[in-house]
Amino acid sequence: MSASPIHADTGLGAPAWGAVIAMMLGVFGLVTAEFLPISLLTPMAADLHISESLAGQAISTTAVLAFIASLLVSSVTRALDRRHVLMGLSGLLIVSNLLVAYAPGFLALLLGRMLLGAALGGFWAMSTAIVMRLMPEPLIPRGLSIMVSGVAAATIFAAPVGSYLGSVIGWRQVFLLAAGLGVLALAVQFYTLPSLPPRGHGSLSTLLRVMRRPRVAVGMLAVLLVFSGHFALFTYVRPYLENVTGVAITTVSAMLLGFGVANYAGTYFGGFMLERNVRLTMALPPLAIGAVGIVLGGTAGAPWLVSALIAVWGFAFGTVPVAWSNWVAQTVPDEAESGGGLLVAAIQVAIALGAGGGGLVLSQGGVTGVFGLGGMTLVAAALLIALWMGRQPRTAADCPV
């Protein structure tokens, strides 16, 4: 892979920073909409006259559709300019939030969340491949870190800010604001994204061929371990803080805000590290998060200590999406859209495994058991990555493509 095809596609002689920022805004809008129901579930259920468990299906439905869309988007849109596809997916984000904001009942809510899942999975699957075409090769890790910072920003906004605004202006108005974020992202994409003709083969058979590559198969296993371990911890962090640490809800919110701020900083640090040592950037974060999980699972520490450990966790996890997006760019540059689709699909499966498996452990061994198991899963992931990456180049610049 070289910079010349990128410039041939975009017609630019310099990195397309504005277009990368437009991608970041798209990610921010999508992930914010994805996680808003977590902080607004109770008022949503009460207003729609449904149970909280039924309202929770709005979250799982989004994940299912994101999984499907991540695998199909390249083949369904293989003849279309990627600029138009990305803008169309941002349009779906806007329609989704409007449907949820004005939903008269559960079915309208479900339809809106299904559209969000399609937009989320499709956008994420194509994002790495698009950034590769917008940036010269040495700047790809930095471009990816900017794009992925939208996730960290959404983590800060969706939970603490979303719950606060919901109590002040109502949950429907919060989703209207989320639709406004989609409008902003679409406008910036319209003015900054260059024409991006389709590349690669974009078929289901291509997905299978990419999956059969040895480095990809092992990589997907590592992805499953990293993200399932993380989401086993993150899904049940509030019960841990309330029941084990014994802090009030205001302190829980402050700790989660600290997680989000640290996560945002970690995203940019990940891009910096990837330009220097890929192996360390991929292996160290899951090891650090795993250690945090094991320590938290083994002790009911003082609130200040728990808060510090959660901040370390947030910072470490900020590097993870950047590292794996960069891995796709370096491992399957010839079929980056298919590789991105497989990555997103694996992450969605890992979220389900982590949340579901953590729930089973919670019912049997309590929340400390969840943290112990999640921590050990992450340590195993770090060991696998360290051994697997040991035979691979140390820096992004050295990776053969």
Side-chain angles (χ1 to χ4, degrees):
M1 179 177 60
S2 66
S4 56
I6 298 172
H7 294 169
D9 267 351
T10 63
L12 300 175
W17 294 113
V20 172
I21 290 173
M23 298 284 293
M24 181 271 289
L25 289 173
V27 169
F28 174 56
L30 286 162
V31 177
T32 294
E34 180 185 17
F35 290 134
L36 273 180
I38 294 176
S39 59
L40 299 171
L41 200 63
T42 300
M44 288 174 65
D47 190 28
L48 295 172
H49 306 292
I50 57 177
S51 66
E52 290 187 8
S53 61
L54 187 59
Q57 298 307 309
I59 301 171
S60 58
T61 299
T62 301
V64 171
L65 266 293
F67 172 81
I68 296 171
S70 67
L71 296 177
L72 296 181
V73 64
S74 290
S75 59
V76 172
T77 66
R78 57 184 169 184
L80 301 177
D81 189 308
R82 275 29 205 152
R83 164 186 160 88
H84 300 148
V85 174
L86 289 177
M87 291 174 61
L89 293 171
S90 294
L92 276 185
L93 166 65
I94 298 168
V95 173
S96 163
N97 283 320
L98 291 176
L99 276 173
V100 173
Y102 292 108
F106 177 69
L107 291 181
L109 172 67
L110 201 62
L111 176 59
R113 300 299 293 181
M114 290 173 68
L115 292 180
L116 175 65
L120 181 73
F123 198 100
W124 263 122
M126 302 179 67
S127 59
T128 297
I130 299 302
V131 172
M132 288 172 62
R133 298 173 67 178
L134 295 171
M135 306 297 292
E137 183 178 352
L139 293 177
I140 288 175
R142 198 172 305 174
L144 290 172
S145 70
I146 291 174
M147 181 194 70
V148 173
S149 69
V151 177
T155 302
I156 297 172
F157 183 84
V161 178
S163 59
Y164 171 75
L165 289 177
S167 65
V168 174
I169 62 176
W171 70 270
R172 293 183 184 273
Q173 282 67 35
V174 174
F175 276 97
L176 286 177
L177 290 176
L181 291 177
V183 172
L184 174 62
L186 180 59
V188 178
Q189 289 163 16
F190 177 80
Y191 283 107
T192 61
L193 282 176
S195 176
L196 296 165
R199 277 183 175 179
H201 298 91
S203 64
L204 293 178
S205 60
T206 303
L207 282 173
L208 296 175
R209 286 197 300 271
V210 170
M211 186 64 190
R212 284 199 294 265
R213 298 182 186 183
R215 291 178 67 189
V216 174
V218 178
M220 289 299 107
L221 175 59
V223 168
L224 287 172
L225 290 174
V226 171
F227 283 88
S228 62
H230 166 73
F231 277 97
L233 302 178
F234 192 66
T235 303
Y236 302 100
V237 66
R238 179 170 175 174
Y240 173 86
L241 293 175
E242 291 180 331
N243 300 330
V244 178
T245 307
V247 297
I249 185 61
T250 53
T251 305
V252 171
S253 298
M255 288 182 175
L256 292 179
L257 181 61
F259 176 96
V261 172
N263 185 259
Y264 193 84
T267 298
Y268 286 97
F269 182 75
F272 174 82
M273 282 296 297
L274 282 169
E275 296 175 4
R276 288 153 180 81
N277 194 309
V278 172
R279 182 183 181 187
L280 186 64
T281 309
M282 295 187 72
L284 188 57
L287 181 63
I289 301 170
V292 168
I294 291 171
V295 170
L296 291 177
T299 181
W304 68 266
L305 176 61
V306 173
S307 182
L309 289 173
I310 287 177
V312 170
W313 172 10
F315 184 84
F317 187 71
T319 69
V320 172
V322 185
W324 283 103
S325 295
N326 182 73
W327 172 79
V328 168
Q330 298 297 333
T331 305
V332 285
D334 56 322
E335 294 291 349
E337 286 189 10
S338 295
L342 288 172
L343 176 65
V344 174
I347 291 172
Q348 296 301 321
V349 171
I351 291 172
L353 289 174
L360 291 175
V361 175
L362 181 67
S363 64
Q364 299 297 321
V367 71
T368 55
V370 175
F371 272 65
L373 179 61
M376 289 187 289
T377 301
L378 284 154
V379 171
L383 292 174
L384 173 62
I385 293 168
L387 294 173
W388 168 56
M389 292 290 290
R391 295 191 297 271
Q392 298 182 31
R394 291 169 55 104
T395 65
D398 297 330
C399 285
V401 296

